[in-house]
Amino acid sequence: MKQVVKFSNLIAAILGALAIVFLAITPGMKLNVPLETEGFSGLQAIFGYSETIMGHSVEVLAPNWVGIIAFVLLAVGVIAGVIGMVIGNKMANLVSAVVLLAGGILLFLVPTIANGEHETFKLSTWLIISGIIAILGGLFGCFGIFVKSKK
């Protein structure tokens, strides 16, 4: 138990980094139509996506402000978790836990905000997994703050 409490902020930072990696390499959301199977990666869903068709750039997805906030919160949570682990600062650990929880919750809202006039999107499995992993990272950070280790 003592070792888990000692390394809980490192575990939280690793889980936050894993959530960011999953956003980068896995499908994050799909169009909500029965025939469409191609999805957009989490980073495409967050930062927008455009294709070049016949020499012209066409915006397929607009940047998603909720997704950008969630991504920044995840990055801050990872950095604060590492800083809190190295320095041993409880405030950095608290910041890490809170922003990882908030970023994980906001990831579930990315497809809702991306819905347009003519298309609707749904969560992909990997975006759900990224959100759950980020929330677990935040809970591990809370565990390290609020649970006293026996000496």
Side-chain angles (χ1 to χ4, degrees):
M1 180 77 161
K2 184 178 180 181
Q3 293 295 333
V4 174
V5 172
K6 181 179 178 184
F7 291 109
S8 64
N9 295 312
L10 180 63
I11 295 169
I14 290 171
L15 288 174
L18 189 62
I20 292 173
V21 168
F22 282 160
L23 284 176
I25 63 173
T26 59
M29 66 181 195
K30 297 180 180 182
L31 283 171
N32 195 13
V33 292
L35 301 176
E36 184 68 35
T37 58
E38 182 180 336
F40 301 100
S41 77
L43 292 181
Q44 288 174 339
I46 290 171
F47 294 110
Y49 174 62
S50 61
E51 291 183 354
T52 303
I53 300 174
M54 297 178 67
H56 298 290
S57 179
V58 176
E59 184 178 66
V60 177
L61 287 174
N64 188 324
W65 58 272
V66 170
I68 292 171
I69 292 170
F71 185 82
V72 169
L73 288 175
L74 290 177
V76 168
V78 169
I79 293 168
V82 171
I83 289 173
M85 170 86 181
V86 171
I87 297 175
N89 187 348
K90 290 278 189 185
M91 186 55 117
N93 296 338
L94 180 64
V95 168
S96 172
V98 169
V99 298
L100 281 174
L101 283 170
I105 292 169
L106 286 178
L107 284 179
F108 291 104
L109 299 177
V110 170
T112 306
I113 304 299
N115 289 338
E117 288 182 29
H118 305 291
E119 67 275 339
T120 58
F121 296 97
K122 62 181 180 178
L123 284 169
S124 179
T125 305
W126 287 104
L127 188 64
I128 294 170
I129 291 172
S130 295
I132 291 171
I133 288 173
I135 291 170
L136 284 175
L139 291 175
F140 262 104
C142 290
F143 181 74
I145 294 168
F146 298 115
V147 174
K148 305 278 186 196
S149 62
K150 295 180 182 177
K151 296 182 179 180

